Amino acid sequence: MKNKFVQILKITAYTGIILASTFYILTNIKEKKKKNNNERMLLIARQIDAEIRNTNRKTSPRYHEKNQAKYDKLWGNDEASAN
């Protein structure tokens, strides 16, 4: 009777250790995934911000005038040479 009780306690202890290890691993995986998602979202936000800045820069009047003069000269626009 005593041996069966000891065996049951050992099995219960091993099962508890395995269960605790499994929960620990799953929790770490979940936290790591959350951290990776956060880093990914920050990277996407930085890329969007850079695209917005580039778009604003490229649509500015100064940029447009500079490029328009360059293209007029390239294509030989008569109106540009008259000004």
Side-chain angles (χ1 to χ4, degrees):
M1 181 77 174
K2 189 175 182 181
N3 280 340
K4 284 191 175 191
F5 183 69
V6 170
Q7 273 186 326
I8 291 172
L9 285 177
K10 283 182 181 180
I11 292 172
T12 305
Y14 290 137
T15 305
I17 290 170
I18 292 170
L19 188 62
S21 300
T22 304
F23 282 136
Y24 179 76
I25 291 170
L26 291 176
T27 303
N28 280 345
I29 290 172
K30 186 177 178 182
E31 289 176 9
K32 187 174 182 180
K33 184 177 179 182
K34 185 177 178 181
K35 183 179 177 184
N36 287 344
N37 285 342
N38 189 22
E39 290 173 357
R40 191 176 308 139
M41 293 301 284
L42 287 174
L43 178 63
I44 291 170
R46 285 188 198 120
Q47 289 173 341
I48 290 172
D49 188 44
E51 289 176 8
I52 290 171
R53 277 189 270 122
N54 284 337
T55 301
N56 289 340
R57 180 180 55 82
K58 288 181 180 180
T59 58
S60 71
R62 181 174 152 245
Y63 184 86
H64 178 71
E65 290 170 6
K66 183 177 78 171
N67 280 336
Q68 189 63 46
K70 181 175 74 174
Y71 292 131
D72 287 344
K73 183 179 177 183
L74 179 70
W75 294 105
N77 191 349
D78 294 334
E79 293 175 15
S81 58
N83 289 335

